Amino acid sequence: MNHKMFSQVFCTDNVNKNASGTVALASTLENAKMLSLLALIVPLIVSTSCDEVSSLNNRSFPTNFKFGAATASYQIEGGWNADGKGENLWDWYTHTFPDKIQNRDNGDVACNSYYKWKEDIQLLKDLGVNHYRLSLSWSRILPNGTVNNVNQKGINYYINILETLRANNIEPLVTLYHWDLPLVFHELGGWYNPLLADYFAEYARLCFKVFGKYVKTWITINEPQTTCVQGYGIGGKAPGYLHSGEGVYQCAFTNVLAHAKAYHVYDKEFRASQNGRVSIVLDSAWAEAASDKPEDVLAAETAMAFSMGLYANPIYNGNWPQIVIDRVGNRSLNEGFPASRLPQFTPEQIQLIKGTSDFFCLNTYATSYSQYQNTVNESIGTPDYHLDMGVRSYRDPSWSAVVDWVALVPWGFRSLLNYVWNQYDGVNEIVVTENGWADVESTLNDTARITYVSEYLSALLDAYYEDGVNVTGYTVWSLLDNFEWTNGYTQKLGIVQVDFNDPDRTRTPKESYGWYKGVIARRCLLESCVN
Ligand SMILES: *[C@@H]1O[C@H](CO)[C@@H](O)[C@H](O)[C@H]1NC(C)=O
Ligand SMILES: *[C@@H]1O[C@H](CO)[C@@H](O)[C@H](O)[C@H]1NC(C)=O
Ligand SMILES: *[C@@H]1O[C@H](CO)[C@@H](O)[C@H](O)[C@H]1NC(C)=O
Ligand SMILES: *[C@@H]1O[C@H](CO)[C@@H](O)[C@H](O)[C@H]1NC(C)=O
Ligand SMILES: *[C@@H]1O[C@H](CO)[C@@H](O)[C@H](O)[C@H]1NC(C)=O
Ligand SMILES: *[C@@H]1O[C@H](CO)[C@@H](O)[C@H](O)[C@H]1NC(C)=O
């Protein structure tokens, strides 16, 4: 159904908050039977003043639920050439193409966490989080990318962090790779090169060996979709390649293979002694059908298959989604290719990749509507990922948003949690490994961030208690304002402000930090909750 029609009805004095509260209600009513009920409810809400409409779930978070905060190596560390670190893709990209980054910024210093990590851990401790999601810089540990040259100082940096987290009773969620590819592998073709899967597995083996004593939760790769679409398909992120017809799929192929090989290394060589778990972080916006028309419903399914499905389907269900196989296959034949542009997995590879996840890690920030576009015979001769997909995506302009990849649509988050839960085989637990609000001012009074996170956490509780989706953790992105890739330092997502004009990179908690701390302490979004 079309949520759009409900989103502008209420509360002219506080449109954002209450519009989302209203659509949150609408999203719980996903079937036709409920639609008629909604027609009855709407007039009642209209007659209520906005202040009296609280859309927040009043249940306590489950006792085993874990709260956390996240960062990533290139976005916060700086120390880009300190103590033997090798050059990585983002060092090279920002230095070589400064004009591709807002204000010609780079991550050379970033939040200076290479030197200020103790302060970061103190902020986490004061916040009261259960876990901290951080990533390891591959080229800090292996300056040449390969295990023949290990940088002990890089290893020590992370050991110090992991020991201090342990001393403070904060569980590390460690991502092996968050986009900062050692430069040598970029020169060998980056994620287009399937051999990268073997190099990644060797790097993973080293990390399991040297850090495994401290780490019980491993994440192999962060958001391959964003890497493959933006880095290798349509530009916009390093390496900025425009190979939308083949590149996205080649990149997806290598990513899921790399993940699977690293998973099996852990499974065979470390699981018995370390007893940890391994997953991959997958990201997607929620794709909502623009209307009830079958072609729009199919368009939304297709959008999910081409975004999350390219990665989740091989890992959880086996092989690419059928809809992707069919669409890319048909267009490829029409275009005169001898075979599909979608690389084929061998039956052995399908088996190798399937089932390589111990729980589901989800990153999400936005929602869009999906409308059918007949691209079956359109622009043949222009191999293109979006033409393969054949979906027009758009946002409701009334949704609160400051940047183009984050929008306040809590009902979309709830739908996405339900989708992941129902769509993928063997998922018995979902951890939200990133979610948060972007602004451009880094104001300390960040009420819009509090609104966003509170409504998303409320939608999460709805999914848990009302829909039976086993979501066991939430990780806010980000602990700190940081280097937001090609957006430089112009987009701020931290619950702690960082002064990038100050050589000391002074950190100042925002109001959202204090608010989140209270939620964690009370385990409740309101002043008090129902158990
Ligand atoms: C909690 O929310 C439910 C559902 O909105 C409502 O029925 C109940 O009265 C609320 N309980 C309290 C104590 O606020
Ligand atoms: C690592 O890379 C650097 C820079 O390309 C090179 O000078 C050095 O010889 C390499 N070291 C090893 C052990 O491969
Ligand atoms: C084209 O799509 C149809 C389903 O729509 C599928 O049966 C067929 O196998 C596809 N062709 C190729 C070459 O993938
Ligand atoms: C695509 O073109 C073929 C050949 O002209 C035609 O048979 C088919 O119906 C077209 N499909 C669509 C969806 O337009
Ligand atoms: C939810 O996940 C937790 C942690 O893995 C597990 O202990 C629990 O049994 C799961 N609950 C359900 C209903 O699957
Ligand atoms: C923050 O902003 C809100 C709304 O704009 C306002 O009500 C509140 O007083 C402000 N708080 C501070 C500390 O400035």
Side-chain angles (χ1 to χ4, degrees), residues 522 524-529:
R522 293 190 306 276
C524 165
L525 293 170
L526 306 167
E527 283 311 309
S528 66
C529 277

PDB file of all heavy atoms in Angstrom, residues 522 524-529:
ATOM      1  N   ARG A 522      18.298   2.639  31.349  1.00  0.00           N
ATOM      2  CA  ARG A 522      16.915   2.262  31.698  1.00  0.00           C
ATOM      3  C   ARG A 522      16.447   1.031  30.922  1.00  0.00           C
ATOM      4  O   ARG A 522      15.435   0.436  31.260  1.00  0.00           O
ATOM      5  CB  ARG A 522      15.948   3.413  31.362  1.00  0.00           C
ATOM      6  CG  ARG A 522      16.111   4.661  32.195  1.00  0.00           C
ATOM      7  CD  ARG A 522      14.939   5.628  31.951  1.00  0.00           C
ATOM      8  NE  ARG A 522      14.740   5.952  30.537  1.00  0.00           N
ATOM      9  CZ  ARG A 522      15.399   6.903  29.882  1.00  0.00           C
ATOM     10  NH1 ARG A 522      16.311   7.627  30.487  1.00  0.00           N
ATOM     11  NH2 ARG A 522      15.151   7.137  28.605  1.00  0.00           N
ATOM     12  N   CYS A 524      15.047   1.250  28.053  1.00  0.00           N
ATOM     13  CA  CYS A 524      13.677   1.695  27.829  1.00  0.00           C
ATOM     14  C   CYS A 524      13.734   3.038  27.109  1.00  0.00           C
ATOM     15  O   CYS A 524      14.595   3.870  27.424  1.00  0.00           O
ATOM     16  CB  CYS A 524      13.038   1.829  29.205  1.00  0.00           C
ATOM     17  SG  CYS A 524      11.519   2.747  29.289  1.00  0.00           S
ATOM     18  N   LEU A 525      12.812   3.254  26.137  1.00  0.00           N
ATOM     19  CA  LEU A 525      12.829   4.508  25.372  1.00  0.00           C
ATOM     20  C   LEU A 525      12.120   5.643  26.092  1.00  0.00           C
ATOM     21  O   LEU A 525      12.316   6.812  25.763  1.00  0.00           O
ATOM     22  CB  LEU A 525      12.179   4.287  24.004  1.00  0.00           C
ATOM     23  CG  LEU A 525      12.956   3.366  23.052  1.00  0.00           C
ATOM     24  CD1 LEU A 525      12.114   3.020  21.825  1.00  0.00           C
ATOM     25  CD2 LEU A 525      14.276   4.016  22.642  1.00  0.00           C
ATOM     26  N   LEU A 526      11.274   5.289  27.043  1.00  0.00           N
ATOM     27  CA  LEU A 526      10.521   6.318  27.781  1.00  0.00           C
ATOM     28  C   LEU A 526      11.112   6.430  29.184  1.00  0.00           C
ATOM     29  O   LEU A 526      12.125   5.812  29.480  1.00  0.00           O
ATOM     30  CB  LEU A 526       9.040   5.929  27.828  1.00  0.00           C
ATOM     31  CG  LEU A 526       8.417   5.644  26.445  1.00  0.00           C
ATOM     32  CD1 LEU A 526       7.062   4.974  26.576  1.00  0.00           C
ATOM     33  CD2 LEU A 526       8.310   6.937  25.647  1.00  0.00           C
ATOM     34  N   GLU A 527      10.472   7.200  30.035  1.00  0.00           N
ATOM     35  CA  GLU A 527      10.978   7.315  31.405  1.00  0.00           C
ATOM     36  C   GLU A 527      10.868   5.985  32.144  1.00  0.00           C
ATOM     37  O   GLU A 527      11.712   5.614  32.945  1.00  0.00           O
ATOM     38  CB  GLU A 527      10.239   8.429  32.163  1.00  0.00           C
ATOM     39  CG  GLU A 527      10.717   9.824  31.786  1.00  0.00           C
ATOM     40  CD  GLU A 527      12.249   9.977  31.807  1.00  0.00           C
ATOM     41  OE1 GLU A 527      12.864   9.612  32.824  1.00  0.00           O
ATOM     42  OE2 GLU A 527      12.822  10.433  30.800  1.00  0.00           O
ATOM     43  N   SER A 528       9.756   5.281  31.874  1.00  0.00           N
ATOM     44  CA  SER A 528       9.638   3.938  32.431  1.00  0.00           C
ATOM     45  C   SER A 528       8.925   3.061  31.409  1.00  0.00           C
ATOM     46  O   SER A 528       8.241   3.567  30.526  1.00  0.00           O
ATOM     47  CB  SER A 528       8.841   3.968  33.747  1.00  0.00           C
ATOM     48  OG  SER A 528       7.511   4.337  33.470  1.00  0.00           O
ATOM     49  N   CYS A 529       9.109   1.770  31.560  1.00  0.00           N
ATOM     50  CA  CYS A 529       8.609   0.852  30.542  1.00  0.00           C
ATOM     51  C   CYS A 529       7.846  -0.319  31.147  1.00  0.00           C
ATOM     52  O   CYS A 529       7.912  -0.582  32.338  1.00  0.00           O
ATOM     53  CB  CYS A 529       9.763   0.315  29.704  1.00  0.00           C
ATOM     54  SG  CYS A 529      10.236   1.429  28.379  1.00  0.00           S
TER      55      CYS A 529
END
